[in-house]
Amino acid sequence: MSTTGIESWAVDLKDVGALYPFQGTEGLFLIIGVVLWIGWHVLQMRAEKADYDGIVGRHGDDASINEALEGD
Amino acid sequence: MEGNLNALTTVFTEFYYWATIPLMFFIHIGFCMYEVGASRRRNHMHTLMKNTMLIPLVTITFFFFGWWLYWAMPNGPWITGGLDLAAGAANTPWSETMGPNAGDRITGVFWAAFLLFSWTAASIVSGSVIERINSGAFWILAVVIGSVAWIIDAAWGWHYGGWMVQLLGYHDAYASGVIHAIAGGFALGILVVLGPRLGKFAADGTPRDINPHNPWMVCIGLFLIYAGFWGFYVACNVPIIDPPTIGGQITGDTWTATTIYLTPTTLGAITVNFLMSLSGGLLAGYLVSRGNAFWTYSGGLAGIITASAGNDLYHPIHAMIIGGFGTYCAYKLHFWVERKFKIDDAVGAVAVHGYAGFIGLVVCGFVLWGHPSSPYEGYATINPLGQFVGAIIMFFVLGFLPGWVIAKILATAGMLRIPKQVELLGLDFANNRDEQAAAADVRETEKAAV
């Protein structure tokens, strides 16, 4: 029993193809990967908006902006 | 992989493409350096992260669907044939050849070489939009250019069976159009919607200089891009192949290196032409900018980019002159477009990549007029009209148009541009303030310990 399907190297390499484990589940892992990718964008966009809202709320006054511009 | 010669060829090809990949990393290091160097102090770290995070996003999406597009779409589809599902099947994310596979040593390294081109396309766009784009919006745009638009153009015009090669005689050996013109056009499409940085233009429309905080760092960044460009050039070739494997009109058994179109060239040719076009660009950039370091270095890059379409075949002096000509035009066009259309391209990426790439394609059509675009029978030969149409497709159809449309959608959703106050405060404002507070706290503690 081996997750890769290879249980011994007593083989002719020309007969060997895929080496990775859990062959046959590529489609499932693709779905998981795509969900993670889309989810990352959603979480990131939410977090970025919240960050900017927070900055504008706390420091968006003229005095803070002028201070920041002086320091640039 | 039976037979010693076959084994040697395969392993050499595997190692050849692998070696291009760490070299091409330098392109990305260079882009990060010059983009951060061009930004103002209050935006440094966000600028760095905006560029850095395109790496994982373009990588995973290029694995998910970008690579399949390249193999499935050379016919359009429906221009010279349908979707090539047979070729695409071996390059889907669920294909056995996309994972560790003892029977396939090439797909992985070939995929990665193309992926580094994808990063480059997205990174070109990144510099032009600094200091006011929402990072999340940029990363969506990066996926569109890096894993969709450029790879479709590669299937059409940078593939031995691409419809543009067959019908137009399109020739773009080192990617003047398929990387640079498209990325420049895409950036321009975004910039039209995004608008300039606050303060870039006076009330009467006169552009102001927003100087890089560190011009030296910008120039060294460009120097690193030159270094990485070697990997880019080498990765555009097939290192060793014999005529029977090509299966075209070439007779005999003489092995050769070829372009991506499987047309013969040599590494020697592209090495000399790379250096001569770089030199032509540097010389012209220095003169036209009166010794401005940023534009001289950018001129070197524009020189290579202009000559790249035909650098497999040009005489070295052609490469030098073409590189210089493209640099001169790109420089002039940058400032003309800036004044005329109020476009704030923070690093000149549209000019250096977009205009130079476009011009390079057109020039190639004249200089290589009549040369066979392919070793296969029935393909159009290289010609000015085909190259001009190709340049339009690259810059406008697959570049400007998708960039403009996606940016417009993001802008309509209020997601494209950061709030005005944040732009003025600086993207790093909150981090900088926290760091200053932490430093002050430590300082006070240390003073108390005296």
Side-chain angles (χ1 to χ4, degrees):
Chain A
M1 168 64 191
S2 160
T3 57
T4 62
I6 296 171
E7 297 179 4
S8 158
W9 281 116
V11 293
D12 185 335
L13 283 177
K14 75 174 167 45
D15 299 326
V16 178
L19 297 169
Y20 54 85
F22 311 119
Q23 290 157 33
T25 60
E26 295 88 347
L28 173 66
F29 279 98
L30 173 64
I31 292 167
I32 293 169
V34 170
V35 168
L36 290 172
W37 161 52
I38 301 286
W40 189 92
H41 279 291
V42 171
L43 293 174
Q44 186 280 325
M45 293 289 268
R46 281 185 192 161
E48 190 171 15
K49 185 175 185 318
D51 284 348
Y52 294 152
D53 288 347
I55 291 169
V56 171
R58 287 195 303 277
H59 308 291
D61 58 289
D62 291 353
S64 296
I65 292 173
N66 281 324
E67 184 191 339
L69 291 172
E70 288 298 324
D72 194 43
Chain B
M1 202 164 63
E2 292 176 85
N4 287 343
L5 186 58
N6 190 14
L8 197 62
T9 304
T10 302
V11 174
F12 173 73
T13 303
E14 180 185 27
F15 182 74
Y16 174 94
Y17 284 118
W18 177 86
T20 67
I21 295 158
L23 259 179
M24 283 194 279
F25 257 78
F26 283 106
I27 294 177
H28 221 79
I29 299 167
F31 271 122
C32 282
M33 281 185 71
Y34 109 116
E35 213 176 295
V36 173
S39 69
R40 287 164 288 181
R41 292 187 192 284
R42 60 182 191 257
N43 297 314
H44 280 175
M45 299 316 290
H46 266 76
T47 303
L48 177 63
M49 294 315 294
K50 176 171 65 63
N51 195 312
T52 301
M53 291 309 292
L54 73 84
I55 293 176
L57 289 164
V58 172
T59 299
I60 62 172
T61 50
F62 196 70
F63 188 89
F64 293 158
F65 48 77
W67 187 231
W68 177 82
L69 290 173
Y70 179 71
W71 291 101
M73 295 192 67
N75 298 323
W78 309 298
I79 297 173
T80 52
L83 275 177
D84 192 343
L85 296 176
N91 299 283
T92 56
W94 56 85
S95 165
E96 286 194 350
T97 52
M98 292 299 285
N101 191 310
D104 180 349
R105 293 165 190 276
I106 302 301
T107 299
V109 285
F110 207 42
W111 172 84
F114 271 68
L115 169 67
L116 270 287
F117 295 180
S118 302
W119 293 3
T120 300
S123 206
I124 289 166
V125 177
S126 179
S128 61
V129 297
I130 57 170
E131 301 194 310
R132 76 278 207 200
I133 198 167
N134 187 313
S135 295
F138 170 74
W139 291 325
I140 290 170
L141 290 157
V143 169
V144 173
I145 180 73
S147 292
V148 182
W150 107 265
I151 199 66
I152 291 174
D153 90 30
W156 290 2
W158 208 59
H159 182 295
Y160 60 85
W163 74 264
M164 288 175 64
V165 187
Q166 290 188 46
L167 301 183
L168 301 176
Y170 183 77
H171 186 77
D172 191 9
Y174 303 96
S176 291
V178 297
I179 285 290
H180 300 285
I182 188 176
F186 195 86
L188 184 61
I190 298 169
L191 288 171
V192 167
V193 182
L194 181 65
R197 287 168 291 179
L198 294 171
K200 173 64 186 175
F201 294 98
D204 66 355
T206 309
R208 298 190 181 100
D209 284 335
I210 298 180
N211 293 315
H213 92 276
N214 188 337
W216 189 88
M217 186 169 160
V218 172
C219 293
I220 296 303
L222 285 160
F223 219 151
L224 275 173
I225 295 174
Y226 297 173
F229 225 136
W230 285 103
F232 187 97
Y233 255 56
V234 172
C236 291
N237 273 8
V238 174
I240 181 166
I241 192 166
D242 61 322
T245 303
I246 294 172
Q249 294 177 302
I250 303 170
T251 57
D253 294 316
T254 304
W255 293 67
T256 182
T258 72
T259 64
I260 197 81
Y261 307 113
L262 302 178
T263 52
T265 188
T266 70
L267 270 181
I270 67 168
T271 302
V272 177
N273 284 350
F274 179 100
L275 291 166
M276 289 294 277
S277 53
L278 166 70
S279 300
L282 283 167
L283 291 167
Y286 185 90
L287 270 190
V288 74
S289 72
R290 300 186 180 183
N292 176 284
F294 171 73
W295 280 104
T296 302
Y297 271 92
S298 293
L301 203 55
I304 300 167
I305 290 164
T306 312
S308 285
N311 256 352
D312 55 324
L313 295 165
Y314 292 152
H315 184 276
I317 299 174
H318 301 156
M320 180 193 81
I321 293 169
I322 291 166
F325 173 69
T327 299
Y328 175 85
C329 295
Y331 178 87
K332 291 291 183 187
L333 277 167
H334 171 79
F335 290 104
W336 181 75
V337 169
E338 183 180 82
R339 280 193 309 273
K340 182 85 178 168
F341 301 102
K342 310 292 173 275
I343 297 295
D344 177 15
D345 176 3
V347 295
V350 177
V352 170
H353 299 274
Y355 307 149
F358 189 105
I359 292 163
L361 289 173
V362 176
V363 168
C364 176
F366 287 97
V367 179
L368 300 182
W369 200 340
H371 187 83
S373 65
S374 166
Y376 301 114
E377 199 171 356
Y379 280 49
T381 56
I382 302 168
N383 66 91
L385 181 62
Q387 290 295 104
F388 182 70
V389 172
I392 298 282
I393 292 170
M394 294 299 161
F395 189 93
F396 289 105
V397 178
L398 289 172
F400 183 92
L401 200 59
W404 186 86
V405 168
I406 305 292
K408 202 76 180 166
I409 293 168
L410 289 165
T412 304
M415 294 159 64
L416 185 66
R417 187 158 180 149
I418 59 174
K420 181 182 171 187
Q421 293 96 325
V422 175
E423 187 175 341
L424 290 168
L425 285 164
L427 284 155
D428 295 340
F429 179 80
N431 290 348
N432 290 346
R433 183 157 278 212
D434 289 347
E435 284 173 13
Q436 284 164 4
D441 188 31
V442 171
R443 228 174 9 250
E444 289 308 313
T445 307
E446 287 172 336
K447 281 180 184 172
V450 172

